[in-house]
């Protein structure tokens, strides 16, 4: 990139998992979008336990939908306060049928699909592997393989 070329950002991707850390990442994504007059696309990534639970019927899909929609409504308020355009999607980060599907691929595929110029994602401290949120395991992968600039907060 030539030093005389200004940085342009049209779409910021913010993968989230419903955690407090991912809400913080959304705040950063909205601030970046506001600075560059860009939009934000929030991707809610469902974790392995949720996906498996829904597959076998031990997790209520309606409750998952309600929780994720509630989180996305909160995110919408953050974007609205700054006057930033927001779009959202929900995807499962794991698949019983496709063993190569994992949250890192989902994030990078979505970045390509929405033509994201910048990615902001949470990097949460690993404290207990059993209770780890879905995106804390993804940050290093996305940082390594994304073609867009990535901010991990």
């Amino acid at each position: 990139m030539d030093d005389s070329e200004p940085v342009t950002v049209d779409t910021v991707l913010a993968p989230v998992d419903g955690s407090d850390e991912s809400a913080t990442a959304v705040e950063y994504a909205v601030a970046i979008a506001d600075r560059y007059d860009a939009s934000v696309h929030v991707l809610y990534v469902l974790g392995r336990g949720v996906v498996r639970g829904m597959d076998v019927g031990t997790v209520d899909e309606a409750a998952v939908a309600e929780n994720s929609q509630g989180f996305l409504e909160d995110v919408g308020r953050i974007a609205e306060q700054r006057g930033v355009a927001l779009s959202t999607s929900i995807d499962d980060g794991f698949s019983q049928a496709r063993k190569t599907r994992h949250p890192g691929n989902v994030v990078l595929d979505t970045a390509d699909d929405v033509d994201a110029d910048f990615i902001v994602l949470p990097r949460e401290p690993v404290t207990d592997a059993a209770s780890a949120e879905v995106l804390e395991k993804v940050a290093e992968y996305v940082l390594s393989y994304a073609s867009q600039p990535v901010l991990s907060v």
Side-chain angles (χ1 to χ4, degrees):
M1 178 158 101
D2 186 315
D3 289 336
S4 64
E5 294 179 35
V7 174
T8 59
V9 176
D10 294 319
T11 305
V12 178
L13 174 63
V16 300
D17 59 7
S19 65
D20 291 341
E21 292 81 3
S22 65
T24 300
V26 167
E27 292 174 6
Y28 278 89
V30 168
I32 291 166
D34 184 40
R35 164 67 175 85
Y36 289 99
D37 195 27
S39 63
V40 173
H41 183 86
V42 173
L43 167 66
Y44 195 105
V45 182
L46 300 175
R48 182 186 317 257
V50 172
V51 172
R52 284 185 179 164
M54 288 190 305
D55 285 345
V56 298
T58 59
V59 172
D60 181 28
E61 289 185 38
V64 171
E66 184 178 322
N67 289 338
S68 57
Q69 281 306 120
F71 185 86
L72 292 175
E73 288 171 7
D74 292 342
V75 165
R77 285 189 280 282
I78 294 168
E80 186 177 351
Q81 290 172 349
R82 299 287 292 260
V84 171
L86 177 74
S87 60
T88 63
S89 60
I90 300 173
D91 206 341
D92 54 334
F94 299 92
S95 170
Q96 296 287 67
R98 291 180 42 212
K99 300 302 180 196
T100 59
R101 182 176 180 89
H102 59 83
N105 287 48
V106 172
V107 170
L108 295 178
D109 288 347
T110 301
D112 289 343
D113 291 346
V114 301
D115 200 23
D117 304 295
F118 202 97
I119 301 172
V120 179
L121 74 157
R123 179 180 54 201
E124 305 165 56
V126 176
T127 54
D128 177 10
S131 65
E133 297 293 344
V134 65
L135 292 179
E136 73 183 84
K137 299 170 185 169
V138 172
E140 186 174 338
Y141 183 88
V142 172
L143 285 164
S144 297
Y145 295 107
S147 57
Q148 304 84 348
V150 178
L151 174 62
S152 179
V153 296

